[in-house]
Amino acid sequence: MSSGGGDLDAARTVLAIDSATDSVVTGIVQLTGETVADVRALAERVVTDHRRHAELLTTLIAECLAESGISRDALAAVVVGCGPGPFTGLRVGMATGAAFADALGLPAYGVCSLDALALDTTPPAGRPDVLVVTDARRREVYWALYRDGARVRGPEVTAPAAVADELSPVFTAGEVGAASGSASHLELVGWTGAPPQATVPSARGLVAAAAPAIIAGEIPEPLVPLYLRRPDAVEQKARKLGAAR
């Protein structure tokens, strides 16, 4: 990697993709260091429509490239949110990100989508914990707890009442200073603080989660989706087999 200013900036221009929520998120991000403060979004698109993930994503990527003035050849890496998220939507973003990286010979870094939300959340002084909760459907939530920017619990998929029981002592102690994710699902787990600072993973948060690995030039692991439970199709097949027996 060159240490020259222009070459360095180009080498750290990253495409970010996430489809772990009902929103399709993509963006072109400039990376100059390993912290969230060193990440700057050049262009970003967020469209909420869980039925059109596959239809929207390629178009949104093209729009971000055009707006940022960055060519595909100038990209250094692709960062993909790996969930947790529903099976169908999540695999659209991951398949698109993997195919894009493969076509251009770029490394594809997978990150936990909840980590990206946490990195877009700033707790007040003296209350270092951040709670992230998103909709897992089936009357469950995906959630994780962070302290000083590091994940200390999760990601998990759990019924909201069970999360509320588990987090009640933490809420009582006043350790959780901020939250992000789905406002309605945060309420279900007992969060009574300020509204969520971020509701979906941002392109900036996604790249910030992968920044240390990108800067270090690490060879990424294969992209692995965080479903946290088996896909519906598998479960339905298993039920049919059980009934037949």
Side-chain angles (χ1 to χ4, degrees):
M1 180 180 296
S2 169
S3 60
D7 291 342
L8 180 61
D9 288 346
R12 292 178 178 170
T13 303
V14 181
L15 168 66
I17 295 170
D18 188 274
S19 60
T21 68
D22 283 347
S23 296
V24 178
V25 178
T26 189
I28 304 300
V29 177
Q30 200 90 63
L31 176 62
T32 58
E34 295 187 8
T35 71
V36 67
D38 301 318
V39 181
R40 179 171 65 99
L42 303 180
E44 183 176 36
R45 294 289 187 275
V46 179
V47 177
T48 301
D49 188 341
H50 71 277
R51 297 181 183 277
R52 300 175 62 214
H53 280 177
E55 178 183 343
L56 290 168
L57 190 49
T58 302
T59 299
L60 298 179
I61 291 172
E63 289 179 2
C64 286
L65 287 167
E67 180 181 323
S68 66
I70 301 295
S71 69
R72 297 184 180 192
D73 294 340
L75 294 172
V78 177
V79 172
V80 183
C82 294
F87 176 77
T88 302
L90 183 57
R91 68 179 179 179
V92 169
M94 295 190 66
T96 302
F100 197 96
D102 184 63
L104 296 178
L106 299 174
Y109 295 87
V111 298
C112 174
S113 301
L114 302 186
D115 291 357
L117 278 160
L119 287 168
D120 277 328
T121 310
T122 305
R127 300 179 64 192
D129 290 6
V130 168
L131 175 65
V132 177
V133 177
T134 60
D135 182 12
R137 303 175 186 173
R138 301 189 202 164
R139 300 182 181 179
E140 292 181 318
V141 295
Y142 298 120
W143 70 283
L145 190 65
Y146 300 79
R147 173 163 293 179
D148 297 324
R151 186 171 1 116
V152 295
R153 181 69 188 272
E156 298 180 22
V157 57
T158 316
V163 181
D165 288 343
E166 184 162 350
L167 293 181
S168 179
V170 181
F171 289 152
T172 301
E175 296 172 354
V176 181
S180 279
S182 166
S184 61
H185 293 86
L186 281 163
E187 290 179 6
L188 290 175
V189 304
W191 173 249
T192 58
Q197 293 185 18
T199 56
V200 297
S202 71
R204 181 172 176 265
L206 291 161
V207 174
I214 296 172
I215 295 297
E218 294 180 8
I219 298 174
E221 298 290 332
L223 298 178
V224 177
L226 292 169
Y227 295 132
L228 302 188
R229 60 190 177 204
R230 289 178 297 178
D232 289 344
V234 174
E235 293 183 354
Q236 290 171 1
K237 182 178 180 181
R239 284 197 294 268
K240 289 179 180 178
L241 287 173
R245 289 172 182 168

